Amino acid sequence: MSQTDAYIQSARRTLQIEAESVAALQQQLDQNFSRACELALNCSGRVIVTGMGKSGHIGKKIAATLASTGTPSFFVHPGEASHGDMGMITGDDVVIALSNSGTTAEVVTLLPLLKRLGSPLISITGKPESTLSQAADANLDVSVKTEACPLGLAPTSSTTAALAIGDALAIALLEARGFSAEDFAFSHPGGALGRKLLLKVKDLMHSDERLPVVDQQTSLSDTLLEISRQGLGMSAVVDEQNRLVGVFTDGDLRRTLDLQLDLKQTPISQVMTRQAQTTTPDSLAAEALHLMEEKKINGLIVIDDQQHPVGALNMHDLLRAGVL
């Protein structure tokens, strides 16, 4: 066997062992999981996650996942907790403590203090009979048959199982809360999803003096000057009551030039597009993008409930905002 083949065989063995460990968790779920969910849902404070070493690294990820899916949470290092950071934990909080052995000294040291505070405790351990497990209000059993490490020393399958049960807890809570994609976006305002679900048309549109608009009696030549002045490739066309009656775009101009009309004498109402595609200020920018793509256009007029133009939006605005 070549060294390359040996690498791949080792990787496959590791992945197989860890996959089996995670799959086995389904059979290990019991009323403790339901109890853990209820404790977290009824928590009036924060869900505090703690753990030492590799369990601590997994705990940080669990805390981050909880926080981003509707369960306020943060990680407290157990060693630091014994030297002042216990002040971060209150009786209104629920604590999730990770320890594969269930006997990690830094974590076990906190048990009397948590009991004094009255903080409910959820443990994630590989030994249901351990000190930590027995002290918990709910213990999530993440015991595995074997570590992927051939020496049986490096936490591998056990940490993968703990991570998976943390995800299972977070998603169960997400579903119980009715947490939506928009809620998720509020926790991720800098990401692509946040931009799509938080940005509204009014956040991006050109309004007031930047809004290209002409009266329907305006000449074609003056309309072109307005379009050039605003640089959006279009102009709204309004009637005497300032209600939108049409739009004139660069595309309309190309079609108009074929007609060889008098630019100074032709009113814009004669060549405008009457069935203008519009959106509203409170519409999501992503919805405006979908409409543009569906209609194969590059811009939209933004109107209020009285059909008055209040803004304009084009594809470049969406591109700059990262919605596209």
Side-chain angles (χ1 to χ4, degrees):
M1 178 186 299
S2 69
Q3 187 61 53
T4 299
D5 291 338
Y7 293 147
I8 294 173
Q9 183 174 334
S10 175
R12 286 174 174 164
R13 181 185 62 81
T14 297
L15 293 173
Q16 180 64 32
I17 292 173
E18 296 202 355
E20 290 174 355
S21 298
V22 171
L25 293 177
Q26 297 181 61
Q27 304 304 317
Q28 293 167 207
L29 290 175
D30 56 20
Q31 290 304 311
N32 277 282
F33 187 84
S34 299
R35 174 63 175 155
C37 289
E38 292 297 329
L39 288 172
L41 281 172
N42 294 328
C43 175
S44 59
R46 299 289 190 269
V47 173
I48 313 299
V49 186
T50 190
M52 195 71 186
K54 302 299 186 294
S55 291
H57 295 309
I58 298 300
K60 290 177 183 177
K61 194 277 179 183
I62 292 175
T65 300
L66 288 169
S68 69
T69 53
T71 301
S73 179
F74 62 89
F75 179 83
V76 172
H77 191 285
E80 299 295 339
S82 294
H83 295 275
D85 283 2
M86 270 299 296
M88 296 180 178
I89 307 174
T90 74
D92 292 328
D93 299 326
V94 170
V95 176
I96 298 178
L98 289 86
S99 169
N100 187 47
S101 68
T103 58
T104 304
E106 292 86 349
V107 176
V108 171
T109 297
L110 303 181
L111 295 180
L113 304 176
L114 295 175
K115 291 298 181 182
R116 280 189 66 179
L117 283 174
S119 305
L121 175 64
I122 300 168
S123 63
I124 299 178
T125 73
K127 291 183 170 54
E129 70 285 354
S130 65
T131 302
L132 179 58
S133 302
Q134 294 299 311
D137 297 283
N139 176 62
L140 303 183
D141 179 10
V142 291
S143 55
V144 298
K145 288 185 177 180
T146 182
E147 297 284 8
C149 170
L151 302 177
L153 299 175
T156 44
S157 301
S158 57
T159 48
T160 300
L163 180 62
I165 206 69
D167 285 344
L169 180 63
I171 299 306
L173 294 173
L174 175 152
E175 293 176 345
R177 295 182 192 278
F179 195 76
S180 67
E182 186 170 358
D183 294 326
F184 186 86
F186 273 99
S187 299
H188 302 75
L193 179 62
R195 290 190 292 273
K196 289 183 178 181
L197 293 180
L198 295 180
L199 277 178
K200 294 189 175 182
V201 168
K202 62 185 177 184
D203 299 321
L204 304 176
M205 70 183 189
H206 301 260
S207 59
D208 300 324
E209 69 278 0
R210 298 186 301 152
L211 169 61
V213 59
V214 297
D215 183 85
Q216 61 185 336
Q217 300 305 320
T218 303
S219 68
L220 178 52
S221 61
D222 286 343
T223 300
L224 294 180
L225 289 175
E226 174 70 0
I227 292 175
S228 298
R229 183 174 68 87
Q230 300 293 7
L232 295 181
M234 62 179 175
S235 176
V237 183
V238 298
D239 63 13
E240 293 78 5
Q241 284 75 45
N242 195 39
R243 293 175 301 197
L244 183 72
V245 293
V247 65
F248 190 79
T249 68
D250 287 342
D252 292 319
L253 174 60
R254 287 191 293 271
R255 290 185 288 272
T256 300
L257 290 177
D258 291 336
L259 302 177
Q260 298 182 341
L261 299 173
D262 186 327
L263 299 184
K264 292 185 177 296
Q265 297 300 319
T266 302
I268 196 62
S269 59
Q270 185 176 328
V271 292
M272 69 185 181
T273 297
R274 293 188 177 276
Q275 300 299 321
Q277 296 297 327
T278 63
T279 185
T280 62
D282 288 323
S283 295
L284 291 175
E287 294 174 335
L289 171 61
H290 176 73
L291 180 58
M292 289 188 207
E293 291 177 332
E294 182 182 42
K295 301 299 182 180
K296 294 181 173 59
I297 56 178
N298 291 318
L300 293 169
I301 301 299
V302 186
I303 58 173
D304 62 17
D305 54 7
Q306 301 298 316
Q307 298 296 304
H308 300 148
V310 294
L313 182 75
N314 67 16
M315 195 69 76
H316 294 295
D317 300 317
L318 297 171
L319 181 62
R320 283 192 295 268
V323 178
L324 189 58

